[in-house]
Amino acid sequence: MNAIAVGISDLLQSTRAWRLWALLGWVEIRQRYARSKLGPFWLTISMGVMATTLGLLYGVLFGQNLSTYLPMISIGIVMWGLFSGIVNDGCNAFIAGAGYIKQIRSPKYVFILQVTWRNGVIWLHNFIIVLIVLVIFGVKSWVTIWLFIPGVILFVLNAMWMASFVGVVAARFRDFPQIVASLLQVAFYVSPILFHGEMLSKDHKWVIEVNPLAYLIDIVREPLLGEYPPASAWIIASAMVVFGWTLALLFTGKYAKRIPYWI
């Protein structure tokens, strides 16, 4: 059986074991916020304060209309929190699940799905920020709202294959999570989260044109802002899913049997 077939089989088995990864993710959330009155809402409050502060600060510095800039930056920060959370936690997915992997024969994608589920639950809490901002500043157009759903699906699928890839590498090389964290920090500032393409001159547009993360942000943010994402954003995001999952399945299928020895 070739590596991709092994990876697909592992993914299908993991998907069918949804009770396991859903329970593991939920237990981890409860343990993390045990005896806390607000639980994950502390992250919501923290992210809300950060989005408001950065929105007001950079809105004034860049001379932006706050009624359009605050929704833009709020959506960007909330979606980036989901993306960076899945990828960062993906680095430690197999390492954190070492106790299960060494004792029980289980498909490896269970731990990637666990990471995705856990960050998805936290994202749902943080999405309250977006709803509040949209209520305050109004929805520009309801026609494009529905495009947010396929946009989020593509967004999460891309984050998942990246988490799968870095998870395998990090299981072998323990310095890799620090490298990924540093790259994500740089990516935050060069991606259109605190700014948008229209704020850049023609000579600097290449900053977002060559950044694949910019297209992922577009397909989830533009519909909520009442705009249609460009066709190029959908094409590139879809191509990233196909290419990325092929790479991730090949990589996981090839090295799945070595993960228990690495961790």
Side-chain angles (χ1 to χ4, degrees), residues 85-94 112 115 118-119 162-164 166-168 170:
I86 293 175
V87 177
N88 261 326
D89 289 352
C91 284
N92 295 301
F94 300 127
I112 301 300
V115 163
R118 182 177 69 243
N119 282 282
M162 293 181 196
S164 172
V166 299
V168 175

